[in-house]
Every structure is written in structure tokens, then in C-alpha cells.
Amino acid sequence: MSQQNTDFRTPRARAAGLGSAKDGVHHWWNQRVTAIALIPLGILFVFPFVNALGQPHAEVIEIYQSPWNAIVAVLFLGVTALHLQQGLQVVIEDYVHSKPLLTAALLVNIGFCWVLGLVGVFAVLRIALAG
Amino acid sequence: MADVNRGKRPLSPFMIGPHYRPQITSVMSIANRITGVFMTLGAVMIVWWFAAAATGPESFARADGFLTHWFIVIFIWLPLLLSFWYHFVNGMRHLMWDTGYGMTLPDVYTSGYITLAATALLSLFTLVFALF
């Protein structure tokens, strides 16, 4: 391992940020935050939703014009989009080994989850605020 | 003695099945990931449903006609419901492990069986709630 060092940086500086996790526990912690938030939000969202699914349009609008149901749905869809992005990122990082493909997949994942979350939030707000 | 198979041995996830008896620990671990990835489809369906409802009665009728077709209900929504509660309960199991509790093998088996039972009960309860 006696390699000629032509770099003026210290070995410590060259290794910084290149570990397996790259950004410490930041991603891990954020995934716990969204997971914990989804415990109450999941319970509060799922019951009105399974009740509303299959109902006629007017009934669905009425259910989600209730401020309570609308706020729960907005929070649930928003936090779900974040948790989905975090979860899919870990799956992608585990199974995609080509660096260019990995970067592309991570970018697509971020874009997909943000669009999904924002469309969902916008739709619920439009129903709730339509009057 | 040199290991002649070094580098050619099957590695972790591909051990289960042909080389290694499936166990509740490994199967429930991969099931958490599978249900999570599968629920991406559920998220798309739910957002489509909300977006169609927000757009108007005609687009809602189109989305609703597809999303509440009996085939979709039985083969997509029902597995999504089971996935939701499984991922929900197993996620709380992971949060428990994160605090350091329940890490012994007997405890992992106990919490595993509790998770499976809770998934079945919560799914059944939600189904009854949705139908009545």
C-alpha cells in the first residue's frame, strides 16, 4: 500500500464525505421523523378515505370540504410524499450500482415524489376551498 | 485452506430460498420493503382520485369507474390495505428497535407474530368500516 501521494490534501480530507452514508444520520433521522408523523396521520386519513372511496362525486366533495378531513388529507399526502421519497431512495441506493444510473434514478425519484405530493395537496385544497 | 468458492458464493438476499430456509425475520424484513414499494402505486391511485374529484364530475366519473372496478378493488385496493397496515405496524416495530428494545431473537419472533396478527385485525376492521 505504499502509494506515492501527489495530492497536497491530507488523507483525512480526501476521505471526507466519501463514506457509505456520505451525509451521516441526516437521511436516517428524517425518515424516522416522517414515519412517526405518519402514525397518527395514517390512522386519521385511512378511515374517512375508505368511507369516501366508491361514493358519488357530490358525497366525496362534501367529505373533503370538512376542514378536519381536508387538513388531515393535506398533511397525510404531503408527509407521505416525503416518506415515499426517503424510502424509495434507500431501495434505489441498495439495488442500483451504476453511478450514472443511480444519480438519474435518485433525481427521477425526487421529481416524481414532489409532483405526486404537490398534485395531491393542491387537489385536496381545491376541493376544500371551492366553497 | 483456501476457500475455492470465494467470490462465487451467493450473497445475502439471494440466499433465502435455494440455500437458506426462509424465516419470519428475513421474510418480514423484505416484506416491509415490498409493501412500501407497492404502496407507491396506492399513492398514485389516491392522488389521481383526489385530482379527478377536484377537476369535476366528468373526470371523477372516469377515474372512479376505473378505481372502483371490482377487479381493482380485489386485486389492488385489498393488497394495498394489507400492505398499509403491515408497513404501519412493522414500521412501529422498527421504531421500537431504534430505541434498543426487543432486539433478542425470542423478542423479534414475538413482535413478528404480533405484527402479523395486528395487520390481519386492523385490515379486517378497516374493511368492515368501509363496507358498513
Side-chain angles (χ1 to χ4, degrees):
Chain A
M1 299 301 267
S2 62
Q3 200 180 333
Q4 190 68 36
N5 188 7
T6 56
D7 196 333
F8 286 109
R9 290 177 304 164
T10 63
R12 169 69 180 78
R14 272 181 283 123
L18 295 174
S20 60
K22 295 183 181 65
D23 56 0
V25 295
H26 175 257
H27 180 273
W28 182 90
W29 171 250
N30 281 343
Q31 200 175 6
R32 310 301 125 163
V33 172
T34 54
I36 292 165
L38 284 169
I39 296 172
L41 289 174
I43 294 172
L44 293 173
F45 175 82
V46 79
F47 290 104
F49 176 75
V50 295
N51 190 30
L53 186 67
Q55 303 245 17
H57 186 246
E59 308 281 326
V60 170
I61 297 297
E62 201 185 308
I63 289 169
Y64 284 101
Q65 278 190 341
S66 138
W68 171 256
N69 287 339
I71 289 167
V72 164
V74 163
L75 288 173
F76 176 79
L77 292 176
V79 179
T80 294
L82 294 174
H83 190 74
L84 182 65
Q85 189 271 315
Q86 292 157 346
L88 288 176
Q89 179 178 325
V90 176
V91 175
I92 291 165
E93 285 168 348
D94 278 357
Y95 301 131
V96 179
H97 299 305
S98 131
K99 184 72 182 174
L101 210 60
L102 175 65
T103 307
L106 291 177
L107 286 170
V108 168
N109 178 40
I110 292 168
F112 165 77
C113 292
W114 272 90
V115 168
L116 193 71
L118 288 178
V119 170
V121 166
F122 178 80
V124 175
L125 287 178
R126 191 171 177 201
I127 294 168
L129 302 175
Chain B
M1 198 179 123
D3 185 348
V4 289
N5 280 324
R6 194 178 175 82
K8 290 192 293 181
R9 287 176 300 214
L11 294 173
S12 175
F14 308 103
M15 291 288 290
I16 301 163
H19 307 285
Y20 202 73
R21 181 167 58 86
Q23 290 163 328
I24 186 171
T25 45
S26 55
V27 172
M28 286 189 72
S29 172
I30 194 65
N32 203 56
R33 192 162 267 204
I34 291 166
T35 53
V37 172
F38 176 57
M39 280 191 290
T40 310
L41 177 65
V44 170
M45 284 161 65
I46 290 170
V47 167
W48 179 30
W49 183 81
F50 272 117
T55 305
E58 295 85 20
S59 58
F60 181 77
R62 225 175 304 124
D64 189 62
F66 177 79
L67 291 173
T68 59
H69 189 277
W70 66 268
F71 188 87
I72 301 293
V73 171
I74 289 173
F75 292 103
I76 307 289
W77 285 115
L78 205 58
L80 278 173
L81 182 66
L82 287 160
S83 297
F84 175 81
W85 285 121
Y86 177 81
H87 199 88
F88 185 97
V89 181
N90 202 53
M92 295 207 294
R93 190 165 165 243
H94 269 279
L95 290 170
M96 175 188 75
W97 287 332
D98 289 341
T99 70
Y101 284 102
M103 299 288 286
T104 67
L105 200 53
D107 282 355
V108 168
Y109 269 73
T110 304
S111 63
Y113 287 122
I114 291 172
T115 298
L116 293 177
T119 301
L121 286 174
L122 287 164
S123 301
L124 195 66
F125 178 74
T126 313
L127 202 60
V128 170
F129 182 87
L131 296 175
F132 301 103

